[in-house]
Amino acid sequence: MLSTTTCSLLATIFFVFIFPSEAQLSSTFYSSTCSNVSSIVRNAVQQALQSDSRIGASLTRLHFHDCFVNGCDGSILLDQGANITQSEKNAAPNVNSARGFDVVDNIKSSLESSCPGIVSCADILALAAESSVSLSGGPSWNVVLGRRDGLSANQAGANTSIPSPFESLSNITSKFSAVGLDTTDLVALSGAHTFGRAQCQFFSQRLFNFSGTGSPDPTLNSTYLATLQQNCPQNGNGATLNNLDPSTPDTFDNNYFTNLLINMGLLQTDQELFSTNGSSTVSIVNNFANNQTAFFEAFAQSMINMGNISPLTGTQGEIRTDCKKVNGS
């Protein structure tokens, strides 16, 4: 017979291995090994913003696209080559649109000079996203740290797991649910489209022949529609950039949600949050449109939730010395 103590110990071991604790991530993870990590990242993002007003949104998007594929493991940063046969950078949601990799590399170089071999690329993405948002007028939050970097990329997973701007709200909701995020997370994180740009190719299907109707998307504000048709003519350049938030394109605020109330969401997946009859997202949009503080608080919490998706911790993975490639490759 096993003793009560032994049974309790075995039960504890079983629980720890089957339900790994997110407590391994901590906002003070680098306090004794790289205490200035946050300021190094913040300074680099601030410098990048001075020459590229889009970079804050781009860096935030990198963290999002990283976490939805194999968890927050820095896999989106890996170039094709050596044992990486298919880079996530070449997946449909990322190719010719994901950007900011040079800023991540600059941050990594600075950190390797200050505290070599300590800070993961996955944590750089989490910190850069927080700096990008707060420096653009949005909320601040304590970023939990201690993620390690993955040893592989998952291009197929990037193609299927990252929400697409062409999908139905039910599909998007399912993709969020698959990584443990709920409807409030979905609406709050969509609010990151309060800054940044989108290429015509990601919403042109709304402008002329929506869902094969031969007419524009009826949920598009008619004045806004005319502007977008001018910016994105039929058979025009699909890479032309448009502000996701036409009112304050480089400021992190709640105007994204007030835009939705007047049918001025740029992407189909933006406007669906408010225009899908009976959806639980509608009341959340209304709340965030009327209360920026509520949006900021929810966004900060949802970014923490997203940053907790399947992190590698302890001895899993590695700390890359170059974010573009696995060590030794």
Side-chain angles (χ1 to χ4, degrees), residues 82-98:
N83 64 325
I84 306 300
T85 56
Q86 291 191 308
S87 170
E88 290 174 26
K89 293 181 181 182
N90 296 325
N94 297 326
V95 67
N96 297 323
S97 67

Side-chain angles (χ1 to χ4, degrees), residues 165-223:
F166 310 111
E167 289 187 276
S168 67
L169 180 55
S170 61
N171 280 5
I172 299 283
T173 303
S174 295
K175 288 187 175 183
F176 272 73
S177 180
V179 291
L181 300 177
D182 65 17
T183 306
T184 300
D185 296 316
L186 163 59
V187 179
L189 293 172
S190 295
H193 288 171
T194 183
F195 64 173
R197 316 284 183 267
Q199 298 176 25
C200 290
Q201 62 176 317
F202 295 122
F203 60 87
S204 57
Q205 86 284 357
R206 305 182 70 201
L207 306 184
F208 302 99
N209 183 23
F210 183 61
S211 298
T213 60
S215 301
D217 184 341
T219 65
L220 254 177
N221 177 293
S222 57
T223 306

Side-chain angles (χ1 to χ4, degrees), residues 14-283:
F14 175 82
F15 186 84
V16 166
F17 278 96
I18 301 303
F19 304 103
S21 171
E22 287 167 357
Q24 293 174 80
L25 298 185
S26 161
S27 59
T28 59
F29 187 83
Y30 297 114
S31 59
S32 62
T33 54
C34 192
S35 59
N36 56 347
V37 57
S38 295
S39 59
I40 289 174
V41 173
R42 189 176 182 85
N43 290 340
V45 173
Q46 192 158 30
Q47 187 173 1
L49 280 166
Q50 290 171 4
S51 58
D52 180 1
S53 61
R54 297 170 58 199
I55 198 64
S58 299
L59 290 168
T60 305
R61 185 171 182 253
L62 278 186
H63 182 41
F64 174 65
H65 282 208
D66 181 40
C67 290
F68 265 67
V69 184
N70 290 8
C72 310
D73 65 346
S75 58
I76 193 173
L77 303 172
L78 291 168
D79 281 344
Q80 199 151 302
N83 64 325
I84 306 300
T85 56
Q86 291 191 308
S87 170
E88 290 174 26
K89 293 181 181 182
N90 296 325
N94 297 326
V95 67
N96 297 323
S97 67
R99 60 194 298 276
F101 300 108
D102 54 335
V103 178
V104 174
D105 289 339
N106 291 341
I107 293 169
K108 184 60 174 173
S109 295
S110 298
L111 288 169
E112 287 301 302
S113 296
S114 285
C115 18
I118 299 296
V119 181
S120 69
C121 301
D123 277 347
I124 289 172
L125 289 178
L127 287 163
E130 191 279 336
S131 294
S132 296
V133 170
S134 59
L135 287 169
S136 300
S140 297
W141 60 93
N142 288 323
V143 181
V144 290
L145 302 164
R147 300 167 193 82
R148 289 169 65 84
D149 296 320
L151 304 175
S152 62
N154 185 358
Q155 188 183 110
N159 280 323
T160 56
S161 300
I162 296 172
S164 149
F166 310 111
E167 289 187 276
S168 67
L169 180 55
S170 61
N171 280 5
I172 299 283
T173 303
S174 295
K175 288 187 175 183
F176 272 73
S177 180
V179 291
L181 300 177
D182 65 17
T183 306
T184 300
D185 296 316
L186 163 59
V187 179
L189 293 172
S190 295
H193 288 171
T194 183
F195 64 173
R197 316 284 183 267
Q199 298 176 25
C200 290
Q201 62 176 317
F202 295 122
F203 60 87
S204 57
Q205 86 284 357
R206 305 182 70 201
L207 306 184
F208 302 99
N209 183 23
F210 183 61
S211 298
T213 60
S215 301
D217 184 341
T219 65
L220 254 177
N221 177 293
S222 57
T223 306
Y224 190 39
L225 170 65
T227 300
L228 295 176
Q229 287 176 331
Q230 196 168 16
N231 290 352
C232 305
Q234 282 182 295
N235 304 315
N237 182 357
T240 300
L241 295 173
N242 300 258
N243 295 326
L244 280 158
D245 172 2
S247 53
T248 51
D250 298 320
T251 302
F252 198 100
D253 53 28
N254 71 331
N255 285 0
Y256 167 84
F257 297 103
T258 56
N259 291 338
L260 296 185
L261 302 190
I262 53 173
N263 288 345
M264 288 180 62
L266 183 63
L267 304 180
Q268 176 182 330
T269 44
D270 292 327
Q271 194 58 51
E272 283 174 340
L273 297 176
F274 184 69
S275 298
T276 304
N277 288 333
S279 172
S280 59
T281 58
V282 175
S283 62

